[in-house]
Amino acid sequence: MYRIRTFNKISPVGLNRLDPALYTVSDSETDEDAILVRSAKLLGYDFPKNLLAIARAGAGVNNIPLDRCSEAGIVVFNTPGANANAVKELVLCAMLMGSRDVDGGIQWVRQQVASGVDVTTVVEKGKSAFTGPELYKKTLGVIGLGAIGSLVANIALSLGMDVYGYDPFLSVDAALRLDRHIHVVKDINELYKRADYITIHIHYTKDTERMIDAKAIGAMKRGVRFINLARGEIVDDDAMLAALDTGWVAAYVTDFPNNRLVGAPHVLAMPHLGASTPESEQNCAVMAVDQLRDYLENGNIRNSVNLPSVSQERSGVCRLCLLHRNVPAMLAGITTLLSRDGINVENLSNKSRGDYAYTIVDLSAPADQSVIDEVTALENVIRVRVIR
């Protein structure tokens, strides 16, 4: 029986995929085997020794201490792409609201009514203050062409926009998702100098912190409209506010409000609405639960953010799952101990990621506990699981 602890409300559509004969789910479980979480901060959480995995129902994992998890052999999953459609739709909304002052116009109409004016007599004169350009035949720059960025780029083409994309880590799968009419550039400055609108869809890391700074903004076209539904820390607020003051940036739409931004003109700040749809929450929950279940029951790792992804069809009668440091001769040491016990290795998969590696070994017969203990005791082995 696996014990799952939830730290946020997880959609029952996902939780219902857990077999009650194999799992118990609680929001107050102690000594849990796995965690399902959305936005709750686990940075200071004291993980139990038997914790095997954390599944984040969403993409961002800055609420989880990844280094500490890796050292403890805890696999951290996220759900890339599960909320992509929801974010894509909000990007479209952001581009439209960043073009025409829809929000300002709505507030103005309400103010007229509140002041006792017959609004029908003033709208024609008043509307000129809220006009703005169409998207048609404008150029959109998309920074990051992953699950969300590729959807945004493709749909912008159908709006009649010219689209430039930049992603130095563009995967083959992502490239195949892109319409052939999208201009993928190798130099981000090529995108900056052409785009009337820019939307960013990258992860927040130490390398991307304040990536959109004064230098980057200075390389953009005057009057650019910038959309940030990725992470607030990617944009240097000081530089953005200065550019808004001069008109170099015409509008800044962000999903990450703070008091400085909310009070500034030409800023549209939303309350982190990117993935806030029931469909997105269900998709994230289903994906998180499925990945967690596959790891607990089969040892397969898919979409881990801290350890290598390894999946293998079940064969043999016993499976060993080993998390270890990525150092020479580890596989030789493991297979030597297994062969000494006369057990045939039916299948083996191994992948590394940075300082860590993960090995799945399917055996033709159950391994003796003494052999398991010897494998566990090998230097640089972090965690060993036996799945029968």
Side-chain angles (χ1 to χ4, degrees):
M1 182 72 75
Y2 293 109
R3 293 160 294 183
I4 311 295
R5 179 172 183 179
T6 58
F7 276 81
N8 299 99
K9 184 179 179 181
I10 304 296
S11 170
V13 176
L15 295 179
N16 290 342
R17 299 170 77 86
L18 294 170
D19 185 347
L22 295 176
Y23 297 91
T24 61
V25 180
S26 169
D27 60 4
S28 60
E29 181 68 71
T30 57
D31 204 29
E32 62 269 16
D33 299 301
I35 288 173
L36 280 166
V37 65
R38 288 171 59 197
S39 57
K41 293 193 180 299
L42 303 180
L43 299 176
Y45 185 63
D46 187 16
F47 297 127
K49 289 185 178 180
N50 56 294
L51 183 67
L52 298 171
I54 299 171
R56 160 74 163 102
V61 289
N62 55 327
N63 58 324
I64 301 170
L66 299 184
D67 290 343
R68 187 154 63 92
C69 289
S70 300
E71 283 294 316
I74 300 168
V75 184
V76 180
F77 301 96
N78 71 344
T79 56
N83 60 10
N85 189 70
V87 179
K88 175 204 73 178
E89 292 184 2
L90 195 63
V91 171
L92 293 179
C93 174
M95 286 198 294
L96 292 168
M97 292 184 69
S99 295
R100 308 191 206 185
D101 189 5
V102 177
D103 180 60
I106 291 171
Q107 297 302 321
W108 178 81
V109 167
R110 288 176 175 170
Q111 290 165 7
Q112 303 312 302
V113 173
S115 66
V117 173
D118 180 357
V119 71
T120 61
T121 65
V122 296
V123 290
E124 291 305 319
K125 289 184 178 180
K127 69 181 183 182
S128 61
F130 311 105
T131 60
E134 297 180 10
L135 303 182
Y136 182 62
K137 290 191 175 181
K138 302 302 188 301
T139 299
L140 172 67
V142 183
I143 302 173
L145 295 168
I148 298 169
S150 58
L151 287 179
V152 170
N154 287 341
I155 200 167
L157 285 176
S158 67
L159 295 174
M161 302 185 80
D162 196 17
V163 182
Y164 282 74
Y166 171 78
D167 192 333
F169 307 107
L170 184 64
S171 68
V172 173
D173 288 343
L176 291 173
R177 290 195 296 264
L178 292 174
D179 188 285
R180 63 185 179 86
H181 295 97
I182 293 165
H183 311 284
V184 179
V185 296
K186 294 183 179 180
D187 183 354
I188 196 170
N189 289 296
E190 183 76 8
L191 180 152
Y192 285 157
K193 72 181 182 181
R194 293 177 179 274
D196 302 298
Y197 299 77
I198 295 176
T199 180
I200 191 163
H201 302 285
I202 60 176
H203 293 295
Y204 169 60
T205 66
K206 291 179 181 178
D207 292 332
T208 61
E209 184 173 11
R210 293 190 178 91
M211 171 182 166
I212 305 303
D213 56 9
K215 181 179 179 182
I217 294 171
M220 299 175 192
K221 289 176 66 174
R222 183 177 184 85
V224 67
R225 289 166 164 83
F226 196 93
I227 298 158
N228 177 16
L229 305 188
R231 276 293 179 269
E233 296 87 349
I234 293 172
V235 174
D236 183 330
D237 285 348
D238 291 333
M240 181 59 70
L241 290 171
L244 288 164
D245 283 342
T246 64
W248 194 265
V249 175
Y252 177 43
V253 186
T254 178
D255 212 13
F256 306 94
N258 61 50
N259 288 4
R260 290 185 67 204
L261 290 174
V262 171
H266 311 299
V267 173
L268 288 170
M270 301 180 292
H272 201 182
L273 295 177
S276 296
T277 67
E279 296 88 349
S280 174
E281 291 181 6
Q282 290 174 9
N283 292 341
C284 288
V286 167
M287 191 172 180
V289 167
D290 284 352
Q291 291 172 168
L292 190 62
R293 187 179 60 183
D294 195 19
Y295 178 63
L296 295 176
E297 297 178 21
N298 300 306
N300 293 326
I301 297 179
R302 293 177 291 133
N303 292 320
S304 172
V305 296
N306 66 326
L307 295 168
S309 292
V310 183
S311 293
Q312 179 174 293
E313 290 292 327
R314 294 290 292 267
S315 60
V317 299
C318 177
R319 170 168 283 192
L320 292 188
C321 304
L322 303 99
L323 282 166
H324 52 88
R325 301 194 185 282
N326 184 23
V327 296
M330 283 301 304
L331 288 182
I334 294 165
T335 55
T336 296
L337 286 175
L338 295 174
S339 62
R340 195 184 68 191
D341 201 36
I343 299 175
N344 184 51
V345 173
E346 294 276 341
N347 209 349
L348 183 151
S349 296
N350 169 270
K351 284 188 179 179
S352 63
R353 179 173 181 168
D355 295 331
Y356 301 94
Y358 184 59
T359 304
I360 297 176
V361 186
D362 284 337
L363 305 174
S364 61
D368 188 80
Q369 185 58 47
S370 62
V371 176
I372 302 300
D373 292 341
E374 287 187 75
V375 172
T376 304
L378 284 172
E379 187 178 4
N380 294 310
V381 168
I382 299 171
R383 168 167 268 162
V384 176
R385 295 178 59 215
V386 181
I387 301 176
R388 293 184 172 86

